[in-house]
Amino acid sequence: MFGSVGSVGSLGSVGSLGSVGSLGSVPALGNRFVCRVCLGPVHEGFADCPGCHELFAGGGAPPWLGVTVVPMTSALNPGPWYSRLLTYKRGNPEHAPLLGALASAYLAEHSRHLERLLGGAPTLLTLVPSKRGVSFAEQPLRQALAAPATLPLPLVETLVHLGGGKRHRYTPEIFGSARASLFERRIVLIEDTWVTGATALSAAGALMNEGAESVCIVPIARCIDASFWGEGHPYREAMKLAYDIRQWPR
């Protein structure tokens, strides 16, 4: 089981960047306007958002991966939280500590929920590999998560990007193993932002193909496009609720 490191108070340790008010809430699964896969917004009368519908209905993603996604926050594009997620890699590295503090606190707060999704205590923590040729050691997200030094498990490189990949398509073959064996490991897979989810789902599938027992995908933010989802959509209103790290949306 994950240790009890971190808490809501961990977010305050990064000064002004730790303002919980900048983080968007993730509406709970069960609301008719929440996608059953990625917990993003849906159109009225649909169970899945357009991206997940395309990925699972025609893009080849296996249905069993659709219950493994748990975003920590939501981020409106454009918006201040989205801007921090976009620029922590380049230009504004001072935003990175917030990501690390948030992830540390969230994983500790929801250790039992993660155990339930994975079928047992997590045994490995890893990242979705870079598709731009950035090594694991140099990945900005790895550096951001390493900064607090309070993650419940060490970050381990598990996959490498071999090339290729298509938007809205499930392509686990674009990743290869970076380890001798992932056999029977229960893995928490972290991504910084979820837009369509194709890369993260493909990475999760690759981990399962390498022998993992189970995978849970935990994006730091589910990104919402303001121009696509109008101001009157109930998801947009739910995002504005005061952020509470103790809330588990799935």
Side-chain angles (χ1 to χ4, degrees):
M1 179 168 59
F2 279 2
S4 59
V5 294
S7 66
V8 179
S10 298
L11 296 177
S13 65
V14 293
S16 61
L17 291 179
S19 171
V20 176
S22 71
L23 307 177
S25 296
V26 179
L29 184 69
N31 287 303
R32 57 185 176 81
F33 54 83
V34 175
C35 176
R36 61 184 173 180
V37 176
C38 70
L39 280 66
V42 299
H43 293 298
E44 186 175 357
F46 288 83
D48 303 332
C49 68
C52 288
H53 177 75
E54 190 164 352
L55 261 172
F56 285 85
W64 50 264
L65 273 180
V67 297
T68 67
V69 184
V70 187
M72 300 181 196
T73 70
S74 64
L76 187 66
N77 174 23
W81 179 217
Y82 179 82
S83 295
R84 291 175 179 177
L85 290 160
L86 195 67
T87 62
Y88 85 94
K89 299 178 182 179
R90 295 180 298 275
N92 295 102
E94 67 273 15
H95 296 333
L98 176 55
L99 277 67
L102 173 64
S104 295
Y106 195 90
L107 294 176
E109 185 72 35
H110 297 294
S111 61
R112 295 193 180 278
H113 291 124
L114 291 167
E115 283 186 35
R116 187 167 65 249
L117 273 185
L118 289 167
T123 57
L124 195 150
L125 190 65
T126 191
L127 306 179
V128 174
S130 168
K131 293 172 64 178
R132 295 182 173 87
V134 179
S135 70
F136 179 76
E138 295 175 338
Q139 271 188 266
L141 182 56
R142 190 204 68 80
Q143 295 171 353
L145 295 177
T150 55
L151 289 174
L153 288 170
L155 279 171
V156 177
E157 182 181 19
T158 54
L159 299 172
V160 293
H161 181 232
L162 303 176
K166 295 181 180 180
R167 191 175 178 86
H168 300 300
R169 290 295 180 270
Y170 176 71
T171 53
E173 66 274 8
I174 69 173
F175 297 107
S177 176
R179 289 171 55 86
S181 176
L182 297 174
F183 184 64
E184 294 186 343
R185 305 302 292 270
R186 293 185 292 273
I187 301 174
V188 176
L189 177 64
I190 301 178
E191 175 73 295
D192 52 7
T193 57
W194 176 292
V195 181
T196 69
T199 301
L201 283 167
S202 296
L207 291 171
M208 296 297 291
N209 290 343
E210 291 294 333
E213 178 181 323
S214 56
V215 179
C216 178
I217 308 170
V218 187
I220 290 177
R222 173 60 169 94
C223 294
I224 312 301
D225 191 330
S227 65
F228 188 82
W229 302 100
E231 179 66 35
H233 194 283
Y235 195 101
R236 291 277 302 272
E237 291 302 310
M239 288 172 65
K240 299 175 184 177
L241 296 176
Y243 184 74
D244 185 351
I245 201 169
R246 294 168 296 186
Q247 295 301 313
W248 176 257
R250 190 174 285 281

